[in-house]
């Protein structure tokens, strides 16, 4: 479901944004847009398959817990 | 791309709504218990000091985009790194707001609906707003913010009958420690989060004063936030606050005027939609603006959609459950935000002062 929703919204916005970026030959924006969409699609598929995705805030949380001496 | 301009009044409204944000449902600073009002006074004083720094930075570089200011102060590489740090901070904050919103709706009303659905629709609303230009938030809030204030005042008045002033006693029963901890938590969430407005200050009208904007918003947002929180303590008391996930919502639920006017807790949800939308949109704007200037993309609006959708996905796996979200908000977040809200702005301010004085000395 997450993938399907992402695909629907992603396609609507991509049609509105990617085409002008391509036509105006703004390649940095075009490829950054595509890269973000691909990253999003990958995360959406992994989330649907209940795959554990590495969370960037885990190391931050562990560091702060270590500094403050909080035990989980 | 045409430069977006917002008036001083609109900036104050946006910032006030940003300050209230998700704090209108999540009871921030509840560690202070019945001494919340003392914690609020301390936190707003701390907030007043830090926003003076933010306002000073904006004053030194009026009408200039914040990423450009960073590049001027720290060079291309240093400026881009700091810009990307704030981009991450804004993106993370936007995901937190989406998660707060999803959890709130999921817990209080639509328990069977997958939480990501709310996140998607909230994000799409913000995406659409930012795509239409930032000034749209100002215009939307010019209509809805007065409505929000009327709602808060009405709920305050209707709940007077339920007020039990004994709930505010005894004063400082647990000592000053929990009060200071709460003050710190309140300072970082939400007052010092206004650091993100450095990205907006380049879009305010020439005649506007950053000091006026920051202080008026701090006062307006702070007073509304305090009235909501103190009202909750007076209605349901400290023991009930600590066992409720959304105590503000639970407190308003008790209002019953002559068995006629009751179940008005939806006003809390409406308030959250207005303020949460504002905060989310500001965060999305900052993320997009930051990323676009790091990659030299002329029109930041083109990048809003993938970033917004990515934030929804991030908000899904950022926390495993609501308890983890509240743990982050109360225990970790105040310390995690210190570099973004205090350390980096102080470095920027000192560098800006030195550079502007050197420049002034050269021109003399």
């Amino acid at each position: 479901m997450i993938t399907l929703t992402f695909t629907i919204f992603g396609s609507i916005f991509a049609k509105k944004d990617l085409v002008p970026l391509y036509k105006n030959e703004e390649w940095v924006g075009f490829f950054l847009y595509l890269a973000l969409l691909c990253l999003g699609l990958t995360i959406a598929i992994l989330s649907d398959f209940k795959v554990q995705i590495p969370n960037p805030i885990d190391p931050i949380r562990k560091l702060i817990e270590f500094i403050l001496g909080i035990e989980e | 791309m045409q430069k977006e301009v917002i008036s001083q009044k609109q900036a104050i409204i946006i910032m006030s709504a940003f300050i209230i944000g998700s704090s209108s449902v999540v009871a921030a600073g509840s560690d202070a218990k019945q001494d919340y009002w003392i914690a609020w006074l301390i936190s707003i004083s701390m907030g007043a000091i830090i926003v003076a720094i933010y306002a000073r930075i904006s004053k030194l570089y009026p009408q200039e985009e914040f990423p450009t200011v960073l590049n001027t102060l720290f060079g291309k590489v240093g400026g881009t790194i700091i810009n990307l740090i704030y981009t991450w901070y804004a993106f993370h904050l936007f995901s937190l707001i989406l998660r707060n919103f999803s959890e709130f709706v999921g817990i209080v009303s639509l328990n069977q609906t997958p939480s990501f659905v709310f996140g998607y629709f909230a994000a799409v609303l913000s995406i659409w707003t930012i795509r239409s230009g930032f000034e749209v938030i100002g215009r939307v809030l010019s209509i809805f913010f007065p409505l929000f204030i009327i709602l808060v005042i009405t709920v305050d008045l209707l709940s007077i009958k339920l007020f039990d002033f004994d709930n505010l006693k005894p004063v400082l029963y647990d000592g000053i420690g929990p009060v200071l901890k709460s003050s710190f938590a309140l300072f970082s969430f939400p007052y010092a989060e206004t650091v993100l407005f450095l990205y907006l200050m380049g879009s305010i009208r020439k005649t506007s004063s950053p000091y006026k904007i920051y202080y008026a918003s701090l006062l307006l947002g702070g007073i509304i936030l305090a009235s909501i929180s103190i009202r909750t303590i007076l209605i349901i008391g400290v023991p009930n606050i600590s066992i409720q996930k959304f105590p503000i919502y639970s407190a308003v639920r008790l209002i019953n005027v002559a068995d006629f006017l009751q179940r008005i807790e939806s006003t809390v949800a409406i308030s959250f939609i207005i303020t949460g939308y504002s905060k989310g949109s500001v965060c999305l704007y900052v993320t997009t603006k930051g990323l676009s200037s790091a990659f030299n993309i002329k029109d930041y609006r083109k990048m809003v959609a993938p970033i917004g959708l990515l934030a929804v996905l991030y908000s899904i796996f950022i926390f495993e459950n609501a308890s983890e979200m509240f743990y982050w908000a109360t225990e970790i977040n105040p310390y995690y935000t210190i570099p973004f809200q205090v350390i980096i702005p102080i470095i920027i301010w000192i560098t800006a002062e030195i550079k502007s004085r050197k420049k002034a000395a050269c021109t003399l």
Side-chain angles (χ1 to χ4, degrees):
Chain A
M1 274 305 279
I2 298 171
T3 312
L4 183 69
T5 325
F6 182 86
T7 314
I8 293 168
F9 284 125
S11 322
I12 295 168
F13 286 118
K15 191 172 171 273
K16 285 180 171 289
D17 297 329
L18 268 179
V19 177
L21 283 171
Y22 181 81
K23 277 185 181 166
N24 297 336
E25 297 184 355
E26 292 173 40
W27 300 119
V28 180
F30 179 79
F31 286 112
L32 184 65
Y33 198 107
L34 269 185
L36 290 171
L37 274 188
C38 291
L39 179 67
L41 193 63
T42 313
I43 294 172
I45 293 168
L46 291 175
S47 300
D48 264 341
F49 282 107
K50 306 256 182 280
V51 176
Q52 188 81 29
I53 302 163
N55 192 342
I57 66 163
D58 276 346
I60 300 168
R61 199 189 63 221
K62 279 180 187 155
L63 178 74
I64 293 169
E65 282 174 343
F66 173 73
I67 293 167
L68 299 174
I70 302 170
E71 282 183 30
E72 277 183 89
Chain B
M1 199 182 74
Q2 203 182 349
K3 197 178 184 226
E4 296 158 323
V5 180
I6 50 170
S7 68
Q8 181 168 289
K9 196 179 150 195
Q10 283 177 334
I12 291 171
I13 289 175
I14 297 170
M15 203 188 287
S16 304
F18 178 91
I19 287 172
I20 299 159
S22 38
S23 310
S24 59
V25 286
V26 181
S30 54
D31 275 347
K33 297 177 182 171
Q34 67 273 18
D35 298 320
Y36 172 85
W37 61 276
I38 306 174
W40 176 78
L41 281 174
I42 298 172
S43 66
I44 209 156
S45 313
M46 288 158 74
I49 297 168
I50 202 73
V51 299
I53 295 174
Y54 305 158
R56 179 68 184 153
I57 296 168
S58 306
K59 188 87 181 165
L60 285 171
Y61 293 91
Q63 300 288 304
E64 271 192 62
E65 300 284 355
F66 190 57
T68 320
V69 174
L70 290 175
N71 287 344
T72 315
L73 294 175
F74 301 99
K76 184 81 184 151
V77 179
T80 307
I81 291 170
I82 297 175
N83 178 31
L84 286 174
I85 289 173
Y86 277 108
T87 305
W88 159 255
Y89 176 55
F91 177 76
H92 183 239
L93 192 56
F94 182 46
S95 302
L96 290 181
I97 295 159
L98 291 176
R99 184 60 186 256
N100 276 346
F101 184 72
S102 308
E103 290 290 348
F104 174 72
V105 182
I107 289 172
V108 302
S109 56
L110 305 170
N111 327 56
Q112 300 298 315
T113 313
S115 64
F116 71 86
V117 176
F118 315 121
Y120 267 119
F121 283 96
V124 166
L125 187 65
S126 293
I127 290 170
W128 217 271
T129 308
I130 302 297
R131 275 174 57 91
S132 312
F134 185 75
E135 64 270 27
V136 173
I137 304 178
R139 288 191 211 131
V140 170
L141 285 178
S142 300
I143 299 166
F144 285 103
F145 195 70
L147 185 77
F148 164 75
I149 292 178
I150 293 167
L151 272 181
V152 172
I153 294 170
T154 311
V155 173
D156 280 349
L157 292 173
L158 289 175
S159 54
I160 284 175
K161 219 177 105 184
L162 297 168
F163 284 179
D164 179 2
F165 285 92
D166 285 339
N167 286 339
L168 289 178
K169 294 177 196 165
V171 177
L172 290 177
Y173 180 75
D174 295 317
I176 195 76
V179 177
L180 290 177
K181 194 184 168 198
S182 276
S183 312
F184 182 47
L186 276 171
F187 163 75
S188 64
F189 170 71
Y191 302 124
E193 283 175 349
T194 50
V195 66
L196 293 181
F197 275 79
L198 288 171
Y199 279 81
L200 267 81
M201 286 299 167
S203 304
I204 58 166
R205 273 193 198 136
K206 256 185 188 173
T207 47
S208 312
S209 156
Y211 287 99
K212 262 189 198 165
I213 293 171
Y214 268 107
Y215 281 105
S217 313
L218 192 69
L219 207 64
L220 184 61
I223 288 171
I224 294 170
L225 211 55
S227 89
I228 294 170
S229 303
I230 293 170
R231 177 223 295 157
T232 308
I233 297 172
L234 288 172
I235 297 175
I236 60 173
V238 173
N240 289 317
I241 288 179
S242 49
I243 56 166
Q244 297 282 346
K245 280 203 165 77
F246 298 105
I248 297 166
Y249 185 84
S250 311
V252 176
R253 206 173 212 168
L254 298 175
I255 295 172
N256 181 355
V257 181
D259 285 334
F260 172 70
L261 197 60
Q262 51 187 320
R263 302 300 302 263
I264 56 166
E265 62 270 22
S266 56
T267 56
V268 176
I270 295 168
S271 307
F272 183 34
I273 290 169
I274 297 169
T275 55
Y277 154 78
S278 159
K279 192 168 182 175
S281 301
V282 170
C283 292
L284 183 60
Y285 171 80
V286 173
T287 312
T288 316
K289 195 91 180 170
L291 200 69
S292 302
S293 55
F295 284 91
N296 278 328
I297 295 164
K298 284 177 208 158
D299 188 0
Y300 74 91
R301 294 178 200 182
K302 292 272 186 290
M303 304 309 297
V304 181
I307 294 170
L309 293 176
L310 210 56
V312 180
L313 297 169
Y314 182 49
S315 77
I316 295 168
F317 73 88
I318 188 170
F319 303 119
E320 279 183 19
N321 47 47
S323 305
E324 210 176 282
M325 182 183 85
F326 287 112
Y327 172 72
W328 172 273
T330 53
E331 301 295 330
I332 308 293
N333 195 54
Y335 304 98
Y336 159 71
T337 51
I338 293 174
F340 308 104
Q341 298 174 345
V342 181
I343 299 171
I344 300 174
I346 289 176
I347 295 169
I348 296 170
W349 169 54
I350 293 169
T351 318
E353 288 286 358
I354 293 168
K355 289 228 170 176
S356 62
R357 277 176 201 192
K358 268 187 189 170
K359 203 177 161 188
C362 286
T363 47
L364 278 175

